[in-house]
Amino acid sequence: MRVAFVLGTTSGGTGRHVRMLVEGLVRRGHQVAVIGPRSVEEQFSYGRAGARFAAVAVSDRPDPANDLRTALAIRRLTRDADVVHAHGLRAGALAALGRRGGVLAALGRRGGVLAALGRRGGVLAALGRRGGPRLVVTLHNALTAGGFVGLVYGVLERIVARRADHVLVVSPDLGVGMARLGARDVRAAVVPAPGLRPAARTSRQVRDELGAGDRPVLLTIARLAQQKGLETLLDVAAGPWPSEQPLFVVAGDGPLRGELQSRIQAESLPVMLLGNRDDVPDLLGAAVALVMPSRWEGQPLTLREALMSGTPAIASDVGGIPEILGNAGILVPSGDVEGLRRAVQTLIAPGAAETLAAAAARRGREMPGEDDAVESVLDVYGGQDPKDD
């Protein structure tokens, strides 16, 4: 089978997930191509995993001229594929617009855009026509912003729902939304976490580096961006605390770093911003719990990694988190500062973390593996391993 992956700019879980699928499909004898920005190849080395890589600029923000060029390029590069599997809403919409018989064809006929809009059914009718390779779109994120950006992404959701043959979603709420917009086939995506390497340092060594003393350490691993709800974490850290303040440690970087650091300094909050780290297993080993105050999450790899390490979590009751966490932590409504503070106080009480740590380790052992993920997409693609022919 010939499979072409399409993805946009990513520095995290989506890129690693595609790399895992590439490796699994190549091992099974399939021909694989990856189409996306040059930066993703530099970071994830799809070529070294056995895929043919083609650089195409899939931008983060709408740009009509660039988007048209990108959609045409995707169409040209995937014309011989059996399956096009796009990851993310932007990549999915551009792959959908490039399908034969769709919007690009409608706009290219006599009269262009205005004529397409004026013909019976117009562009919306073109959205319903499908041609060429089977199109699968995995949605890894939900939009948490409003305004013009929210309006544009609402249009992209409709394009994906109407044009994709199959939509895979990382959380139930995304599935409900796609079904409501008319998607024909919506399924749960299987997104495993890669195996977690052992910690290289002891808990005491990490705590000494952090200057934690005897205080409980609460770890957050997140991009410093609006979706992650980090202002709620700072509100929680501000107290009041009936006993000794815990130390909140945040691993990750992003556009809100300056704003968050300014508030931490101005209010003398017990929060450390560590930046990007490559010692996540060490940090998890030193933490009482993982804290995820996110506005939305799909199937966060950091939560899976925490569970595999036996670290319980306090997390927002959003997206795919409840299904992953089970009884291995405490769920709190997103943005509920008092509820999150009470959950932290509960977990740092003597004996509480140990009980939940055992549940976390059990959940970690139940997580799906990489073979489960590859077999699940092959089932969606409708093909079998060449070795089994």
Side-chain angles (χ1 to χ4, degrees):
M1 183 184 299
R2 294 165 297 185
V3 180
F5 291 104
V6 182
L7 71 163
T9 302
T10 175
S11 60
T14 299
R16 293 195 297 271
H17 180 66
V18 172
R19 169 71 189 236
M20 178 270 300
L21 293 178
V22 168
E23 292 173 340
L25 292 173
V26 169
R27 279 198 306 270
R28 288 163 171 78
H30 298 285
Q31 299 177 41
V32 182
V34 177
I35 300 164
R38 174 63 60 185
S39 61
V40 299
E41 171 63 11
E42 293 171 352
Q43 182 165 2
F44 299 104
S45 303
Y46 299 114
R48 287 210 298 268
R52 176 174 53 85
F53 180 79
V56 173
V58 180
S59 60
D60 291 331
R61 299 289 180 178
D63 181 330
N66 183 68
D67 288 349
L68 177 60
R69 288 192 295 269
T70 298
L72 288 169
I74 293 171
R75 175 177 174 176
R76 173 176 53 82
L77 291 166
T78 61
R79 63 164 59 99
D80 294 327
D82 299 306
V83 177
V84 176
H85 189 167
H87 289 262
L89 185 60
R90 287 273 296 147
L94 291 171
L97 289 172
R99 300 192 77 181
R100 290 198 296 272
V103 172
L104 292 181
L107 298 182
R109 289 195 290 269
R110 186 171 60 193
V113 175
L114 291 178
L117 290 172
R119 287 190 290 272
R120 185 162 58 187
V123 170
L124 289 181
L127 288 176
R129 293 195 292 272
R130 299 173 174 87
R134 185 188 302 265
L135 177 60
V136 180
V137 179
T138 297
L139 298 181
H140 292 265
N141 287 289
L143 181 68
T144 58
F148 177 72
V149 173
L151 179 64
V152 170
Y153 276 78
V155 173
L156 299 184
E157 286 178 331
R158 284 170 170 77
I159 292 172
V160 168
R162 296 186 184 212
R163 297 279 293 164
D165 296 293
H166 310 280
V167 179
L168 308 182
V169 295
V170 298
S171 69
D173 56 323
L174 288 179
V176 170
M178 281 289 108
R180 187 173 59 245
L181 292 173
R184 295 189 305 170
D185 182 67
V186 181
R187 309 187 195 187
V190 177
V191 184
L196 190 67
R197 60 178 172 80
R201 294 176 293 163
T202 67
S203 172
R204 174 49 60 186
Q205 288 173 322
V206 176
R207 292 173 60 82
D208 288 345
E209 176 201 317
L210 298 173
D214 293 327
R215 290 182 294 169
V217 172
L218 284 305
L219 174 65
T220 296
I221 306 170
R223 185 167 184 264
L224 309 187
Q226 182 261 0
Q227 176 191 329
K228 303 302 181 178
L230 295 169
E231 72 286 348
T232 301
L233 184 74
L234 268 55
D235 289 342
V236 169
W241 295 95
S243 56
E244 185 176 28
Q245 275 187 333
L247 175 62
F248 294 85
V249 176
V250 182
D253 212 335
L256 296 183
R257 177 162 189 152
E259 177 182 327
L260 295 170
Q261 189 64 58
S262 295
R263 182 179 170 192
I264 291 167
Q265 293 174 344
E267 300 179 26
S268 300
L269 300 178
V271 181
M272 296 180 66
L273 302 183
L274 302 182
N276 290 324
R277 301 282 291 221
D278 59 4
D279 59 347
V280 167
D282 298 19
L283 295 172
L284 286 169
V288 173
L290 180 76
V291 180
M292 299 189 72
S294 308
R295 288 182 167 84
W296 187 86
E297 294 283 353
Q299 295 186 31
L301 296 181
T302 53
L303 179 56
R304 292 183 182 274
E305 289 173 339
L307 297 177
M308 287 190 293
S309 73
T311 305
I314 301 167
S316 297
D317 187 6
V318 295
I321 287 178
E323 184 177 1
I324 295 174
L325 185 58
N327 65 347
I330 303 173
L331 292 170
V332 179
S334 176
D336 183 353
V337 175
E338 292 305 318
L340 186 57
R341 187 181 293 119
R342 285 194 301 271
V344 171
Q345 290 171 346
T346 297
L347 205 86
I348 63 177
E354 289 77 8
T355 299
L356 283 176
R362 286 194 298 272
R363 291 292 291 172
R365 291 191 293 269
E366 296 167 358
M367 294 291 104
E370 294 183 358
D371 283 341
D372 298 315
V374 176
E375 293 301 326
S376 73
V377 297
L378 282 171
D379 182 59
V380 174
Y381 299 165
Q384 63 184 103
D385 288 358
K387 293 179 291 186
D388 297 334
D389 289 345

